[in-house]
């Protein structure tokens, strides 16, 4: 074989070898690309899982705050404490604090974390632009400062606080109610490490939850004041109906005082003076004077707008007091009264004036319902008893025209009345008072005619 032919065959083998390497290279490159894509997918899955875990934590924290809001609609502090704690934990902050805006001062109401609370925070910080929380309040927007210690020109007072307390990165968002600031929530880090967008959005969510809680308590307090005002007005109206009874109650002991005073003068003027009889007459004056004072005190308590109390109250005695006040009305309308009281006095924890108002309302309504009767007996029966659920049951039964079945519940609606001059507030207020004491008030038909209004109250436990 010639050298030329050998070279030619060699050249051919080299060419075939080069082509094979190229094909192998092309095979390996797609495999490497797949590995890179798989790695990118794994990283994306890991990131997605991290985001899901973070979202689950945020959702759990939000649900927890909302649960506290729903379970404690009249208490603001547990909600603010929970908001501060969750804000600090989920935003990876060293500290979270909440301030309420009062008279242009930001006052500390909740704190969580390691940064100590200083005296200026407790006493109140002016809501001006010299601090981060003041700036957030004034501008009504979220303020994020990466290194507060280096912002002396922008936040002169805030920088001093940061150097004193040791924090650096600061994030504040205002609490806004209908666009108006009512406070601010602040989170801080000891090192310079800015918060990311997700944490900023989360803090704004917590701010919204704090506003919901504050607004709930505000509305509840406003409604409570409104109810108390209506109850006071209704009490005065009820006393107007009972004016004759009140005059009778006061006149009785006063007349007895005058009679005893005359008797004492006669015994002292006798010859010789009968000092024993005179002393007895004077003792009668003292007793009747005390009785007059008790009657006046009861009436004054009903008229005055006093805050609710929770005292030990014997419901048998409350019924006796209410029927005493209504005695003249019962006599004037020729109504026979029957009182059936529990043998063992049922004792509750409540406001004597408010519960007495409930009884008076029910008695006055019963009297008015029977006053127009032209035939048949006029009978009022008031009873107290213990029921199976360890409660006291008070019932007021009348023999009036009664109520149609559809009015058994409607009678308790505000401003619903069947009286020409009625306001429709009495029964609504009575139900509110009973429910505030943990009880229930309802109406049923009486047999053979009339209505029964009855309510329950939890019995006071010993201890």
């Amino acid at each position: 074989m010639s050298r030329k032919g050998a070279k030619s065959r060699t050249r051919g083998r080299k060419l075939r070898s080069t082509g094979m390497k190229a094909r192998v290279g092309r095979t390996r490159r797609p495999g490497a690309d797949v590995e890179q894509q798989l790695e990118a997918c794994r990283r994306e899955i890991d990131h997605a899982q991290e985001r899901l875990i973070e979202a689950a934590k945020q959702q759990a924290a939000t649900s927890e705050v909302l649960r506290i809001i729903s379970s404690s609609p009249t208490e603001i502090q547990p909600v603010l404490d929970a908001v501060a704690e969750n804000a600090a934990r989920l935003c990876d902050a060293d500290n979270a604090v909440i301030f309420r805006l009062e008279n242009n001062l930001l006052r500390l109401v909740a704190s969580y974390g390691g940064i100590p609370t200083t005296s200026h925070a407790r006493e109140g910080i002016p809501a001006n632009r010299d601090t981060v929380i003041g700036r957030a309040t004034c501008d009504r927007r979220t303020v994020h400062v990466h290194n507060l210690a280096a912002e002396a020109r922008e936040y002169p007072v805030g920088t001093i606080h940061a150097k004193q307390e040791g924090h650096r990165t600061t994030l504040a968002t205002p609490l806004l109610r209908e666009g108006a600031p009512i406070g601010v929530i602040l989170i801080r880090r000891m090192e310079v490490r800015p918060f990311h967008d997700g944490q900023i959005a989360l803090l704004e969510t917590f701010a919204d939850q704090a506003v919901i809680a504050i607004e709930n308590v505000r509305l509840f307090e406003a409604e409570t004041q409104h109810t108390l005002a209506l109850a006071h007005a209704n009490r005065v109206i009820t006393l107007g109906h009972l004016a004759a009874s009140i005059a009778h109650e006061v006149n009785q002991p006063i007349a007895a005082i005058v009679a005893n005073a005359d008797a004492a003068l006669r015994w002292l003027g006798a010859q010789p003076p009968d000092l024993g009889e005179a002393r007895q007459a004077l003792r009668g004056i003292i007793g009747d004077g005390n009785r007059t004072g008790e009657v006046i005190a009861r009436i004054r308590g009903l008229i005055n707008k006093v805050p609710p109390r929770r005292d030990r109250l014997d419901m048998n005695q409350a019924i006796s007091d209410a029927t005493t006040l209504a005695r003249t009305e019962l006599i004037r309308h020729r109504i026979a009264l029957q009182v059936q009281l529990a043998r063992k006095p049922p004792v509750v924890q409540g406001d004597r004036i408010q519960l007495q108002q409930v009884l008076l309302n029910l008695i006055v309504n019963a009297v008015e319902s029977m006053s127009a009767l032209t035939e048949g007996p006029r009978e009022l029966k008031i009873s107290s008893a213990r029921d199976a659920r360890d409660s006291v049951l008070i019932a007021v039964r009348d023999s009036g025209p009664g109520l149609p079945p559809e009015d058994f519940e409607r009678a308790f609606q505000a401003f619903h009345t069947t009286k020409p001059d009625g306001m429709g507030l009495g029964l609504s207020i009575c139900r509110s008072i009973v429910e505030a004491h943990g009880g229930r008030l309802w109406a049923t038909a009486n047999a053979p005619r009339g209505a029964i209004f009855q309510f329950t109250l939890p019995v006071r436990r010993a201890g």
Side-chain angles (χ1 to χ4, degrees):
M1 181 180 297
S2 67
R3 184 178 298 176
K4 182 178 180 181
K7 287 181 178 179
S8 176
R9 285 194 297 273
T10 303
R11 193 162 46 245
R13 284 196 300 271
K14 287 181 179 179
L15 288 173
R16 284 194 297 273
S17 175
T18 302
M20 186 179 295
K21 289 180 181 178
R23 285 195 298 273
V24 171
R26 285 196 298 271
T27 303
R28 286 177 178 172
R29 275 198 297 274
D33 292 341
V34 169
E35 285 294 332
Q36 291 175 356
Q37 291 174 3
L38 287 174
E39 182 61 29
C41 288
R42 280 193 290 268
R43 285 196 300 269
E44 184 61 30
I45 290 171
D46 289 342
H47 292 158
Q49 287 177 336
E50 290 175 1
R51 288 195 296 271
L52 284 173
I53 293 172
E54 185 176 353
K57 290 180 180 178
Q58 294 177 7
Q59 181 64 35
T62 301
S63 299
E64 174 65 11
V65 173
L66 293 176
R67 184 193 65 78
I68 296 173
I69 291 174
S70 62
S71 62
S72 305
T74 63
E75 297 182 46
I76 187 64
Q77 197 58 49
V79 179
L80 297 181
D81 290 340
V83 167
E85 179 180 352
N86 283 303
R89 285 193 302 102
L90 295 180
C91 293
D92 192 21
D94 294 304
N95 172 254
V97 286
I98 301 176
F99 295 83
R100 290 284 299 273
L101 181 62
E102 300 173 0
N103 300 322
N104 209 39
L105 280 179
L106 291 165
R107 299 188 183 277
L108 181 70
V109 292
S111 176
Y112 180 87
I115 301 176
T117 302
T118 53
S119 58
H120 61 262
R122 289 190 295 268
E123 294 167 0
I125 298 173
N128 56 37
R129 301 173 63 81
D130 292 341
T131 61
V132 175
I133 57 174
R135 183 75 58 90
T137 304
C138 293
D139 293 355
R140 304 178 187 185
R141 64 176 179 85
T142 299
V143 176
H144 187 194
V145 181
H146 293 190
N147 185 3
L148 184 56
E151 298 287 345
R153 178 175 297 180
E154 191 69 14
Y155 303 98
V157 176
T159 298
I160 295 172
H161 294 168
K163 291 178 179 178
Q164 289 174 344
E165 299 166 7
H167 58 274
R168 292 298 178 261
T169 296
T170 304
L171 176 66
T173 192
L175 310 182
L176 301 176
R177 183 178 66 218
E178 297 180 354
I182 60 172
V184 65
I185 180 170
L186 172 76
I187 56 176
R188 299 175 289 185
R189 284 173 174 162
M190 301 299 285
E191 74 274 22
V192 177
R193 183 163 56 93
F195 296 94
H196 60 68
D197 291 344
Q199 293 167 334
I200 295 173
L202 183 58
L203 187 68
E204 291 172 345
T205 299
F206 282 128
D208 292 339
Q209 291 181 330
V211 171
I212 291 172
I214 293 170
E215 183 68 1
N216 280 353
V217 173
R218 186 187 70 84
L219 292 174
F220 179 83
E221 291 174 349
E223 181 62 25
T224 299
Q225 291 301 317
H226 180 65
T227 300
L228 288 175
L230 287 177
H232 174 248
N234 185 255
R235 224 163 29 235
V236 174
I237 292 170
T238 303
L239 283 170
H241 289 295
L242 297 172
S245 292
I246 293 168
H248 174 78
E249 285 301 305
V250 174
N251 281 334
Q252 273 191 333
I254 290 177
I257 289 171
V258 172
N260 280 320
D262 286 339
L265 287 174
R266 285 197 307 272
W267 293 119
L268 290 173
Q271 294 297 331
D274 192 331
L275 297 181
E277 292 290 348
R279 289 192 187 95
Q280 186 173 345
L282 291 172
R283 290 192 192 98
I285 290 173
I286 294 172
D288 290 323
N290 290 334
R291 189 153 62 95
T292 304
E294 291 172 1
V295 171
I296 292 172
R298 279 206 306 269
I299 295 168
R300 182 180 298 161
L302 280 169
I303 294 174
N304 288 345
K305 190 184 293 185
V306 294
R309 297 174 54 124
R310 289 292 182 269
D311 297 324
R312 184 182 184 276
L313 178 63
D314 178 353
M315 287 306 298
N316 283 354
Q317 185 61 49
I319 291 172
S320 298
D321 290 343
T323 54
T324 298
L325 282 172
R327 183 186 304 154
T328 300
E329 284 291 286
L330 295 170
I331 295 171
R332 186 163 68 91
H333 292 286
R334 303 186 306 281
I335 293 172
L337 173 65
Q338 180 183 355
V339 179
Q340 184 177 340
L341 301 179
R343 289 185 178 181
K344 184 179 180 182
V347 177
V348 302
Q349 196 85 14
D351 187 292
R352 179 179 64 85
I353 298 300
Q354 288 189 354
L355 293 177
Q356 192 177 61
Q357 177 185 351
V358 172
L359 287 166
L360 284 172
N361 265 115
L362 298 181
I363 292 171
V364 169
N365 286 348
V367 170
E368 290 183 346
S369 71
M370 293 184 286
S371 62
L373 290 178
T374 57
E375 58 182 20
R378 300 181 180 184
E379 298 174 338
L380 177 64
K381 181 179 179 181
I382 306 174
S383 62
S384 68
R386 292 282 288 267
D387 68 7
R389 290 169 295 186
D390 201 25
S391 298
V392 56
L393 173 65
I394 309 296
V396 178
R397 295 172 168 85
D398 66 66
S399 60
L403 296 170
E406 61 270 18
D407 278 356
F408 286 154
E409 184 61 29
R410 197 188 313 169
F412 296 98
Q413 296 176 3
F415 305 110
H416 173 78
T417 181
T418 57
K419 305 173 188 176
D421 58 345
M423 294 177 62
L425 292 173
L427 288 175
S428 173
I429 291 170
C430 286
R431 173 171 277 184
S432 296
I433 291 172
V434 170
E435 289 179 350
H437 283 76
R440 186 170 70 94
L441 170 63
W442 71 98
T444 56
N446 195 13
R449 70 177 188 185
I452 307 174
F453 286 84
Q454 43 196 335
F455 62 93
T456 59
L457 294 170
V459 173
R460 180 183 182 271
R461 300 190 180 278

